[in-house]
């Protein structure tokens, strides 16, 4: 249970996977405890920021001792549902859809790909990495019947909102969107947008705006 049921700010939630990665690495190196200051150095944040972030999840730190790596990692696994399986489908079996299907790290992190969907009849029945491509007409019933958690949208921009609507109407719990469009979906269904070009444009801005010999602007993510 989350401590006192305080609402966790989105920025904190977004930092969690990074904390988790670090704890995973520390555990691998058999480090038993870590101070908030050392954690902060890794995260590019102050020790007090780290203490505040982690306070949302319970009392894991001890004054003068630091954080117990094994305990906190286990708690993060619980919070991030890493020990529970999360099901997902991918809509659009093109370049992105196929690349994601072949990406082994999803399974290791507890994400189970249940099916791929595409509008092209020729693709139906094909398997990629053991995952079957279904006709997109079957998407709604599939999501509903199997209680799919997450829908990945990897279709062209023009089709993305229609697909999002089908997913939401079928009870999807979250959307991972690759299409270059801001989806119009109910605010009760969280959407994560993955826009590589936006990131490249930000990076392109940064590399042109670093003063000679100076530091890049701070990353506030
Ligand atoms: P692609 O053209 O290789 O694949 C798209 C697939 O979607 C095709 O197989 C097509 O038959 C299918 N499709 C079209 N309409 C559909 C519908 N109504 N229902 C189900 N399937 C449908 O495209 P690619 O390269 O895989 O890109 C997919 C999407 O991701 C595009 O919107 C593209 O703009 C976007 N993209 C996003 C990037 C990012 O950083 N977010 C990077 C590259 C692409």
């Amino acid at each position: 249970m989350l401590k006192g049921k305080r609402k966790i700010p989105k920025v904190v939630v977004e930092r969690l996977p990074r904390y988790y990665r670090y704890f995973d690495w520390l555990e691998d190196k058999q480090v038993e405890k870590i101070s908030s200051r050392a954690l902060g150095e890794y995260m590019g944040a102050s020790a007090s920021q780290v203490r505040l972030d982690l306070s949302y999840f319970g009392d894991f730190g001890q004054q003068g001792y630091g954080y117990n790596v094994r305990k906190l990692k286990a708690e993060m696994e619980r919070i991030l549902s890493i020990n529970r399986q999360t099901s997902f489908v991918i809509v659009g079996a093109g370049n992105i859809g196929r690349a994601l299907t072949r990406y082994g790290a999803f399974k290791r992190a507890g994400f189970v790909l249940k099916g791929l969907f595409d509008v092209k009849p020729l693709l139906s029945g094909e398997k990629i990495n053991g995952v079957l491509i279904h006709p997109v007409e079957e998407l709604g019933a599939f999501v509903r019947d199997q209680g799919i958690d997450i829908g990945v949208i990897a279709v062209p921009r023009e089709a993305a909102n229609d697909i999002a609507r089908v997913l939401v109407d079928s009870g999807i719990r979250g959307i991972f969107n690759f299409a270059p469009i801001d989806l119009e979906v109910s605010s009760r269904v969280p959407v994560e947008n993955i826009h590589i070009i936006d990131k490249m444009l930000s990076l392109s801005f940064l590399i042109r705006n670093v003063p000679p010999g100076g530091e890049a602007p701070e990353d506030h993510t």
Side-chain angles (χ1 to χ4, degrees), residues 91-98 117-120 123 136 153-160 162-163 177-180 193-198:
V91 192
N95 295 310
I96 299 260
R98 283 165 192 262
F117 292 82
D118 203 283
V119 76
K120 281 189 197 141
L123 297 181
V136 71
I153 297 186
V155 297
R157 158 205 286 267
E158 309 73 53
D162 286 344
I163 297 301
N177 174 41
F178 281 88
N193 292 297
I194 311 297
H195 297 322
I196 297 170
I197 295 297
D198 290 4

Side-chain angles (χ1 to χ4, degrees), residues 208-219:
R208 288 178 175 79
N209 288 278
V210 178
E215 284 192 6
E218 233 175 277
D219 179 1

Side-chain angles (χ1 to χ4, degrees), residues 5 43 56 86 99 113 132 136 165 167 172-173 205 215:
K5 293 207 169 134
M43 295 294 292
Y56 285 100
T86 303
L113 178 55
L132 191 65
V136 71
R165 220 164 292 128
L167 290 169
I172 206 81
R173 297 171 63 195
F205 170 83
E215 284 192 6

Side-chain angles (χ1 to χ4, degrees), residues 41-217:
E41 273 167 21
Y42 169 76
M43 295 294 292
S46 64
S48 56
Q49 176 73 70
V50 166
R51 285 196 293 271
L52 182 65
D53 279 359
L54 299 182
S55 72
Y56 285 100
F57 306 103
D59 295 317
F60 290 100
Q62 267 174 33
Q63 199 83 41
Y65 172 86
Y67 293 96
N68 178 310
V69 171
R70 193 176 48 79
K71 271 198 196 156
L72 200 50
K73 184 191 162 206
E75 181 60 10
M76 286 189 181
E77 278 174 350
R78 193 187 64 74
I79 293 162
L80 294 170
S81 301
I82 286 174
N83 291 332
R84 264 192 321 188
Q85 291 200 335
T86 303
S87 58
F88 72 109
V89 291
I90 297 176
V91 192
N95 295 310
I96 299 260
R98 283 165 192 262
L100 294 174
T101 305
R102 295 192 178 102
Y103 188 46
F106 280 123
K107 202 168 189 177
R108 290 196 295 280
F111 295 96
V112 183
L113 178 55
K114 295 286 190 170
L116 268 163
F117 292 82
D118 203 283
V119 76
K120 281 189 197 141
L122 262 180
L123 297 181
S124 293
E126 187 187 329
K127 273 189 176 174
I128 300 169
N129 213 14
V131 183
L132 191 65
I133 305 182
H134 304 263
V136 71
E137 293 75 25
E138 294 175 6
L139 177 65
F142 189 97
V143 167
R144 205 171 307 114
D145 295 349
Q146 304 228 14
I148 300 293
D149 296 310
I150 292 175
V152 176
I153 297 186
V155 297
R157 158 205 286 267
E158 309 73 53
N161 263 316
D162 286 344
I163 297 301
R165 220 164 292 128
V166 174
L167 290 169
V168 171
D169 290 348
S170 317
I172 206 81
R173 297 171 63 195
I175 293 179
F176 201 59
N177 174 41
F178 281 88
I181 184 171
D182 294 323
L183 298 174
E184 297 153 18
V185 297
S186 146
S187 58
R188 79 187 155 76
V189 176
V191 177
E192 277 292 338
N193 292 297
I194 311 297
H195 297 322
I196 297 170
I197 295 297
D198 290 4
K199 293 277 179 200
M200 290 293 267
L201 286 171
S202 304
L203 186 59
S204 155
F205 170 83
L206 291 175
I207 63 175
R208 288 178 175 79
N209 288 278
V210 178
E215 284 192 6

